[in-house]
Amino acid sequence: MKVASVKHSSVDGLGLMLGRPAYTADLMAKNSLIVKVLRSPHAFAKIVSIDTSNAQQMTGVECILTAKDFKRFAYTRAGQGYPEPSPHDKFVFDEYVRYVGDEVCAVACVDEATALEALKAIKVEYQVLEPVLDFEAAINHSSIIHPEPEIHEMFPIGFEPKKNIAASYQMHVGDVEKTLTSSDVVVDEVFYTHAQAHSMMEPHSVNTRLDYMNRLVMYSSTQTPFHVRRILSQVLTFPLSKIRVIKPRVGGGFGGKQAIHGEIICSAVTLITKKPATLTYTRKEVFESSYSRHPMRLSIKLGATKEGVLKAIDCHILSDTGAYGEHALTVFMVAGSKVLPLYNKVDSVRFHGEVVYTNHTPAGAFRGYGAIQGNFALESAIDILCKKLDVDPIEFRMKNMIKEGETSPIFSIMGEGTEGTAMNMDTCKLPFCVQKGKELIDWTKTYPNKSVSQDIKEGVGMAIAMQGSGIPYIDMGAATIKLNDDGFFNLLVGATEIGQGSDTVLSQIAAEALETDLSNVIVYSSDSDLTPFDPGAYASSTTYVSGNAVYLAALSMKKRLITEAALALRCEEELIRYDGIGFTNTNTNEQITLKQLSNRLFYNHDQKQLMITESYVGHKSPPPFMAGFVRVQVDTSTGEVRVVDYVSVVDCGTTINPMLARGQVEGAIIQGIGMTLYEEATYSSQGRLHQNDFLSYHIPTRKELPHLTTVFADSYEESGPYGAKSVGEIGIDTPPAAIANAIYNACGIRLTTLPFTPEKVLQAIHSLKEKLR
Amino acid sequence: MKVELYLNQKKQVFDVLPGEYLLDTLRRYDILSVKRGCEQTSCGVCSVLLDSDMIPSCSVLTVRLQGRHITTVEGIEEEATKIAFYFGQEGADQCGFCNPAMALAVYSLKRKNPHATDQEIKEYLVGNLCRCTGYQSQHLAIKRYLEDPS
Amino acid sequence: MKINEYLRVKTVEEAYHQMIQDPIDSYLIAGGAWTKLTIKEVQTLIDLQDVVKNHIEIKGHMVHLGAMTSLEQIAHSTLLDHHALVILKRAASIVMAPGVRNLATIGGSVMGKYAFSDIIPALLALHAILVFHKRGNVWLQDFLQEPKKDPDILLEVLLPIVPGVGYFHAMKKTALDFSIISVAIVKTNQRNTMVIGSRPGIANRCLQAEQLLNEADIIDEPFLEEVANKACSEVDFGTNVRASGEYRKQIAKVYVLRGLKEVYGL
């Protein structure tokens, strides 16, 4: 391969570094109205009245939007394919507010200062209700968070709002109770995860205007421009054909921009006032009023023989979706479907649980999407089991984990809110990943621990993980390739570049298939008027699903070029040899360059525009796999934990761009370490999120950066473009469990509640000392 | 109020309210390389150089800067191009939102401490947050830029 | 911020005059690093940048720090490479990041009386003296404890240069965190000073522990442990979102002991 599987600098890196206008807020119309949202100070309240009269009279206030301005229509902001597996439980504005930061009404003003004054001038009378702030007490709580009659599920997802249940699910293979009873050794543990915040650098931003065709044109920092267009049309009853959604450059998403945020309110302002408008979240709104990762309680039981054969996994999860049910069912299911198959040789497995409403900031999609929560619980429990069995955790995994050519019944049972898709692991290099990682972390030299000083203990730990590559039979991606005079190509994709490098990677796939240079492929992505459909950047789908579409489109284009070359060179197509630069009639050695052929097609003979669109929908979702190994140092006197080394050995099939693939893994590892050690979300007794800025919510800085080693297994997934699987999410899954296991190995404490703050670590060390005394 | 300052070496007059912060002034005058990330001095994407020192523009009142020199990435395009080259070489650019400020920070580091150690690089750039890359690729790129003799 | 009038004064007296005219709605601005977070609306903003010094010099046995000296200047000043003065450099160099430190001044750090300050514990341990426009010299320690006085303008911070060694440590979750606890210790031939900051209340000296140490004949590890215990029992620790009082007390003890061992070379 010449272009794919080769390290290429990003196609857009230079322009972005030079600060060229590229992001949503850079592209708003001059003199746009500034839209601000009035947000609830209460965790749960009924709005008795809203008095906007004072604000209405202020100079510079152009428009005030309340529930009265919208048709009452229950929808979901989740930003998924249609029909969504998330409950339709949201109204643009409602008579209830369900978390601190929930939307009450909105103003649009000539400038920000006026908008802030106008918000202050609006008087809202609330009837404060008792909030549900403990997710373990949500089911059948006396407060019903969603009493409204219009809300509904699109298909059965176990939606029981009267019990505060947004979704529920259960599945089993074999008789798990029976297997557990007959197991020699049983582990029974409960784990808690917390509401990590995406913390992308660019806040959510949207701007709108009406163009000269009287159509609504929107720039949005979204991961799902086509879903945004659809949902907007449904909620505002505005024709889909009159909406154009452009996703410009997005400053990071990580799942946080899969959902609808300000798009509907901003569009409504423009449709009512006919003026351009813009709405950019403050950092506080990003934390408090967008959404976070689902906190979960995961109860795990494992059963094994004394020889170290895993026999049963029983997993119950209670998940907190907060005030609205975006991604409630699917994140929860992925905690099973992309975790449990790791140990496919068990006799029985059960997965069940509920996703509950609370009066917290809603939860939604976030890189890892349930798999990180499930992985933390299962991979911690496996190490606990190994300790009980007194077997080496690496040997145990080598024996029990899924391998190439094998399958798991879970693949066909569990999908994304529906049934799944049966598949064999055509590529699974887990044994290599584990072996290589063990070597690179120098496991045997340290395992389980060594003393660095009197206070500081060093330990190593590991975990294995899997993810998916797109949602089979649901999410379709498409690509268009257009030939230009002079012989270069436009690649038009709906696929959504959000910083992960998809514009570069998809260009590489196109260039490889067209046998041309990367500079000959000009990529343009995510404009609902100009590019073909794509579900968006989520579910680790872009390289695999959209990449396959690009690959097919490029092959078709090459075929068409050969047809045209055969016409130009007056021979059968079979006689044409194409070398990326030109075409040769192998009978006559007569040649025509791609440039000449293109110019001929545009200006001289057989004139036509070559433009080809292909689409792809997955028939399976081949999981990428990885083994994560970590070396930590624990200060046993203060509880401070430092990650020293993190080794990732990843099987993501072919890396289309090894450098960008490494970037995906490294970035995800650091996010995973952040979730494990530094990032914390806590609520006041009134339900206010404590950490709503970067002064209190601590994402890792470069001073916390450990040494990262990232290695890719030699792997080729036949169904992927040039052998690729996905790599966007897999990196985030292992840090919580690997670090928990390493801390255990370092100093004997087993942490089961994220994050592992120094205070919690020290507390556990003290309790252990008490116990040993 | 009228404030006259040197933006990227060119004298320019800005008409501001006394309470306006430099970030808002610059963006209002179409200097869009300066990004809005947190507005609380804590993310670094709004960094500019004040004379030769890096500062968060979100927290400096424009009115106080009469006569001072402000540099944004538009003013160091040649150096930023070099920095972008090394970032590209190491796969260190992802969403790019933090990159214009990162370029300024790296450029000013090279002028202040061209032989910065690993630790000094991290110290100097600690306020330039990045949520995408995990920092290691950036770190390698920055080292290569510092070593670049040109 | 909403500012009705911006005044860039030419003399300290001008600033002082303006401030006493309208002490409620006037606001002095030095570096301004935290004004955005603390002030939303002000009638008159008085800018001190032209009238208060922003450099460090040594005069006799004193280091003079102009109140407008930035924390980044302090973090890199070679004039502070002597004796225990290095703890001020260390404290300054871990306040957020260089960008903020280029704005934040020593004067602002003192006048804000911020409980989370890393600068105040270091200055307290170094027996800093504040030089005000009207009141003249005031010990930092007295300034921190006194009730709110009439408006005045801080001009300089003085640090006595005394041979000795120092220790400073601030525990943070990440480099951009505020300290969960900070410990500053200075040992000179005459006396020892120990300060615990971010308790989360404002920094306190541990006077009884200092006395124990000052009166000791033999200093060994068990004794230092006793001193550390004393230090942590005589100051209060409280709970906030960042950590519990109990945890703060535990780690304060650890870091006080580590500091004592370091300054005593044990």
Side-chain angles (χ1 to χ4, degrees), chain A residues 364-602:
Chain A
F366 193 157
R367 190 184 218 169
Y369 202 82
I372 181 171
Q373 292 100 319
N375 195 277
F376 167 54
L378 180 63
E379 283 295 272
S380 295
I382 291 285
D383 260 39
I384 296 170
L385 176 67
C386 291
K387 183 72 190 168
K388 272 196 160 178
L389 287 165
D390 195 26
V391 300
D392 181 88
I394 292 182
E395 277 171 33
F396 181 90
R397 286 182 173 87
M398 289 296 251
K399 190 150 87 183
N400 290 285
M401 70 195 184
I402 194 166
K403 306 214 173 64
E404 203 156 89
E406 297 177 355
T407 187
S408 160
I410 291 167
F411 292 127
S412 65
I413 299 171
M414 295 176 76
E416 297 247 348
T418 55
E419 282 182 4
T421 308
M423 58 180 166
N424 282 332
M425 297 301 96
D426 294 330
T427 47
C428 173
K429 308 296 179 192
L430 263 180
F432 169 83
C433 297
V434 172
Q435 271 306 339
K436 188 76 186 168
K438 183 181 176 185
E439 216 175 283
L440 288 169
I441 201 87
D442 214 349
W443 180 270
T444 34
K445 250 191 177 163
T446 308
Y447 180 76
N449 62 57
K450 65 180 188 195
S451 280
V452 178
S453 68
Q454 199 190 330
D455 288 336
I456 295 180
K457 304 283 176 263
E458 188 169 291
V460 286
M462 59 89 64
I464 56 173
M466 58 176 285
Q467 200 77 36
S469 300
I471 308 174
Y473 297 107
I474 290 182
D475 281 344
M476 174 274 288
T480 298
I481 293 180
K482 183 176 104 183
L483 176 72
N484 295 283
D485 44 348
D486 226 27
F488 73 97
F489 302 94
N490 289 115
L491 170 63
L492 307 174
V493 286
T496 311
E497 167 74 75
I498 55 169
Q500 81 281 45
S502 67
D503 279 355
T504 302
V505 164
L506 297 178
S507 301
Q508 283 181 265
I509 292 171
E512 181 70 43
L514 290 163
E515 299 177 50
T516 187
D517 287 342
L518 192 56
S519 59
N520 249 355
V521 176
I522 309 301
V523 65
Y524 181 67
S525 57
S526 307
D527 177 332
S528 66
D529 269 8
L530 302 183
T531 65
F533 181 85
D534 195 279
Y538 62 86
S540 283
S541 57
T542 302
T543 301
Y544 183 77
V545 177
S546 313
N548 261 325
V550 171
Y551 175 70
L552 294 173
L555 286 189
S556 297
M557 174 56 82
K558 196 163 82 179
K559 206 158 162 264
R560 280 301 304 274
L561 288 170
I562 288 169
T563 306
E564 296 301 331
L567 274 176
L569 296 176
R570 297 169 307 279
C571 66
E572 297 293 313
E573 286 175 30
E574 291 70 31
L575 294 175
I576 294 290
R577 194 181 68 224
Y578 172 62
D579 63 4
I581 295 165
F583 305 84
T584 308
N585 176 338
T586 48
N587 253 357
T588 62
N589 273 338
E590 209 184 334
Q591 292 185 331
I592 185 168
T593 64
L594 175 59
K595 184 173 169 171
Q596 288 166 336
L597 179 68
S598 309
N599 290 337
R600 180 180 190 271
L601 284 172
F602 276 88

Side-chain angles (χ1 to χ4, degrees), chain A residues 27 81 186 215 401 459 574 615 638 676 715 756 767:
Chain A
L27 302 168
V186 172
R215 292 171 77 236
M401 70 195 184
E574 291 70 31
S615 41
T638 65
T676 310
S715 173
F756 309 150
S767 323

Side-chain angles (χ1 to χ4, degrees), chain A residues 455 635 637-638 640 678 680 682 690-691 695 698 701 703-704 758-759 762 766, chain C residues 37 96 171 173-178 241-244 247 250-251 254-255 258:
Chain A
D455 288 336
D635 186 329
S637 292
T638 65
E640 290 163 279
Y678 313 116
E680 190 167 21
T682 55
H690 283 132
Q691 297 81 3
L695 296 168
H698 301 293
T701 76
K703 275 173 86 175
E704 283 73 53
E759 183 160 0
L762 191 63
H766 285 172
Chain C
L37 299 180
M96 309 304 279
M171 189 212 158
K173 279 187 200 155
T174 69
L176 293 185
D177 194 7
F178 292 114
V241 177
R242 319 188 96 76
S244 71
Y247 177 69
Q250 287 166 349
I251 54 166
V254 173
Y255 281 112
R258 284 179 188 175

Side-chain angles (χ1 to χ4, degrees), chain C residues 82-116:
Chain C
H82 312 290
H83 310 304
L85 294 171
V86 290
I87 70 169
L88 181 61
K89 280 184 77 163
R90 214 173 292 159
S93 69
I94 56 158
V95 174
M96 309 304 279
V100 180
R101 296 200 292 268
N102 278 322
L103 295 180
T105 61
I106 185 131
S109 304
V110 169
M111 295 307 289
K113 290 192 184 179
Y114 300 113
F116 55 76

